[in-house]
Amino acid sequence: MDALFTEIIAIVGGQHLLVGDDVHARRDDWMQAAPCRARAIVRPADAEQLSRVMAACHRARQPVVTHGGLTGLVRGGVASPDELAISLERMNQIDAIDPISSTLTVQAGTPLQRVQEAAAEASMQFALDLGARGSCTIGGNIATNAGGVRVIRHGMMRDQVLGLEAVLADGTRVSSMNHMLKNNAGYDLKQLFIGSEGTLGIVTRAVLKLQPQQLAMQTAMVACETFSDLTALLQFVRKTLGDQLAAFEVMWHSHYALLTEESGRHAPPLATDAAFYVLIETLGNDQDTTAQRFEAAIETAFENGHINDAVIASANHQRERLWAIREDIEGLLCHLNPRFTFDISLPIPEMDHYVRTLEQQVIQRWPDGRVVVFGHLGDGNLHVTIATGNADDDTKLAVETLVYTPLAAMGGSVSAEHGIGLDKRRYLHVSRTPAEIALMHTLKKALDPHTLLNRHKVLPDAAP
């Protein structure tokens, strides 16, 4: 190890190999208070340094874990005492913006919010948006195929990436920095790394697709009495607002009431007696036209009986207050502690029965238990938080069984947008067939034969 550290210091400099207290002062999972336990943290300045570091680790058979913004929910960045953490925090530059081709080239350690701001300065916009925008990094967004609140309009992170560069386990740099929408010259290699959670390679740079800037924004929060009202509303706004519909975010009563009336963290913009609350947002080019179309849609939804209450934001600070209720994850976790969090996908028609059944099962087993639900309903993605009063391993296993087991029969997924990491790999079989898992193992063995990259993450240790 001393020889490896000497080699790494020669590459990145002594101040960029952190050991001892400098490592333990950091966390490698924002959900856990425990310090980082990695043997050391390496902070390369660019892809060339990372390539040389990985070549040295490959020769020494030293396993590594990649660190980005560390905002994940599945312990994907957790490092054990015999692993090195590779932090991309110094690789945080925007290399180029091309308004004509509508692309932005960026290093993997750059926070999402900086990319959004850089695009806006060029009168463009980057479509991906999520609550952790100030901390999460582009490399992490790519590695987990992040979703967020704009998926209903623009798709997942996979749909925003035209090209990327990655470093393999042996230090090989694979540059597929494509800038074109059309490129069918052989395999689309970037897809190997998008959503692979750093297990096949470490993303270092990316070419991102930009969209025309649309400043005419309209936001409303509405209340629905029944799930059938909710789904009818979704169909109605999809048809009426068309490609202007940018977000359709739903909070079950459990989420809305907890973060407003019960906790006092937010003033409730609507009464807290409805079953569902929806944030609807549109983006357009002309303020007057967009506003008229939006207000007409909300008014018609009233007349059709899809909603029974609504508030439309007339200024940006009002919009921010509405979104704060949806995005106050820290408040949610603070008031449900200890708790278990889940990020699942399932067909929209199955959601109401699924949530009701889950609530009943939790209460039957833990009378003081609580189930809190919100999510990107238009994308089939729900975020579920369950509190039972304790968080021991047996309780965790019991809760996970209640949440994940029903998904197999309905074609759902144990992970909608946060990945598998350490937490969900034992449940990968719920959403993937044995043949799919075997092929994943084949890819892993081909690209990382010594299992150095994010080992024990995503895949079960043995192929089916």
Side-chain angles (χ1 to χ4, degrees), residues 182-452:
K182 290 185 175 181
N183 185 352
N184 280 334
Y187 302 142
D188 189 358
L189 295 177
K190 70 176 182 290
Q191 301 297 346
L192 282 173
F193 306 104
I194 301 175
S196 67
E197 302 182 47
T199 60
L200 300 181
I202 302 174
V203 175
T204 56
R205 291 194 302 155
V207 180
L208 305 178
K209 183 195 307 182
L210 299 181
Q211 304 293 337
Q213 191 175 48
Q214 294 182 302
L215 299 178
M217 181 182 295
Q218 293 292 312
T219 307
M221 181 180 287
V222 306
C224 299
E225 283 301 319
T226 67
F227 193 79
S228 60
D229 291 335
L230 183 62
T231 55
L233 176 64
L234 174 61
Q235 291 177 293
F236 172 74
V237 296
R238 275 176 164 166
K239 180 179 179 180
T240 306
L241 299 173
D243 61 5
Q244 287 192 346
L245 181 62
F248 190 92
E249 297 290 301
V250 177
M251 294 169 280
W252 265 243
H253 175 268
S254 56
H255 178 97
Y256 181 80
L258 173 62
L259 290 174
T260 56
E261 186 176 63
E262 183 177 341
S263 68
R265 290 180 66 90
H266 305 277
L270 300 174
T272 58
D273 55 356
F276 304 97
Y277 297 84
V278 189
L279 276 164
I280 305 172
E281 191 160 271
T282 61
L283 291 172
N285 294 316
D286 180 79
Q287 187 64 45
D288 291 339
T289 302
T290 302
Q292 291 171 7
R293 185 177 180 183
F294 187 75
E295 290 168 6
I298 298 298
E299 183 177 345
T300 304
F302 260 117
E303 295 171 354
N304 292 343
H306 301 326
I307 61 179
N308 63 358
D309 201 0
V311 58
I312 297 177
S314 59
N316 190 57
H317 71 275
Q318 294 177 344
R319 172 189 178 271
E320 290 175 351
R321 283 204 293 264
L322 296 179
W323 274 101
I325 301 171
R326 157 63 177 81
E327 295 186 335
D328 189 4
I329 307 305
E330 289 188 4
L332 174 65
L333 300 183
C334 177
H335 284 83
L336 294 178
N337 191 25
R339 75 289 178 197
F340 306 99
T341 61
F342 302 92
D343 155 50
I344 60 173
S345 280
L346 64 160
I348 296 174
E350 303 278 4
M351 287 182 176
D352 190 38
H353 177 72
Y354 173 86
V355 172
R356 289 177 183 274
T357 301
L358 182 60
E359 289 172 336
Q360 293 169 0
Q361 292 174 331
V362 168
I363 294 301
Q364 285 175 358
R365 184 151 185 175
W366 301 280
D368 295 327
R370 297 185 64 172
V371 178
V372 176
V373 182
F374 69 98
H376 320 289
L377 184 127
D379 316 324
N381 176 195
L382 294 183
H383 296 292
V384 179
T385 304
I386 298 177
T388 63
N390 58 67
D392 60 76
D393 290 343
D394 289 342
T395 302
K396 182 175 186 290
L397 181 61
V399 171
E400 289 174 344
T401 300
L402 293 180
V403 172
Y404 292 139
T405 301
L407 296 175
M410 59 184 69
S413 174
V414 298
S415 180
E417 59 181 358
H418 286 289
I420 298 297
L422 283 175
D423 277 354
K424 299 185 182 183
R425 63 185 191 137
R426 73 166 71 178
Y427 300 103
L428 187 62
H429 69 279
V430 173
S431 304
R432 297 296 188 186
T433 66
E436 287 178 304
I437 296 174
L439 181 55
M440 291 180 194
H441 276 281
T442 298
L443 289 171
K444 174 69 171 174
K445 180 114 180 124
L447 293 179
D448 184 13
H450 303 297
T451 317
L452 302 182

Side-chain angles (χ1 to χ4, degrees), residues 56-236:
C57 289
H58 188 262
R59 289 190 295 271
R61 300 296 187 261
Q62 172 61 51
V64 305
V65 175
T66 310
H67 280 183
L70 299 174
T71 59
L73 298 177
V74 293
R75 298 197 298 149
V78 171
S80 62
D82 59 344
E83 293 176 316
L84 299 185
I86 305 292
S87 172
L88 304 185
E89 62 195 77
R90 298 175 64 206
M91 299 168 58
N92 59 8
Q93 300 301 308
I94 294 171
D95 293 337
I97 299 178
D98 183 353
I100 296 177
S101 298
S102 298
T103 62
L104 182 148
T105 304
V106 63
Q107 295 177 0
T110 306
L112 169 60
Q113 187 170 328
R114 285 190 57 198
V115 170
Q116 294 173 330
E117 292 168 350
E121 289 172 3
S123 298
M124 305 288 287
Q125 70 174 8
F126 182 57
L128 184 75
D129 190 31
L130 50 149
R133 64 185 69 84
S135 302
C136 67
T137 62
I138 291 299
N141 298 152
I142 292 172
T144 59
N145 188 28
V149 300
R150 300 276 187 249
V151 172
I152 194 171
R153 178 169 182 174
H154 295 290
M156 302 282 282
M157 185 64 177
R158 186 182 303 278
D159 301 293
Q160 321 308 325
V161 181
L162 292 176
L164 59 76
E165 175 187 75
V167 171
L168 303 184
D170 64 358
T172 300
R173 287 175 67 181
V174 178
S175 184
S176 185
M177 296 289 283
N178 170 67
H179 286 72
M180 301 170 291
L181 286 174
K182 290 185 175 181
N183 185 352
N184 280 334
Y187 302 142
D188 189 358
L189 295 177
K190 70 176 182 290
Q191 301 297 346
L192 282 173
F193 306 104
I194 301 175
S196 67
E197 302 182 47
T199 60
L200 300 181
I202 302 174
V203 175
T204 56
R205 291 194 302 155
V207 180
L208 305 178
K209 183 195 307 182
L210 299 181
Q211 304 293 337
Q213 191 175 48
Q214 294 182 302
L215 299 178
M217 181 182 295
Q218 293 292 312
T219 307
M221 181 180 287
V222 306
C224 299
E225 283 301 319
T226 67
F227 193 79
S228 60
D229 291 335
L230 183 62
T231 55
L233 176 64
L234 174 61
Q235 291 177 293
F236 172 74

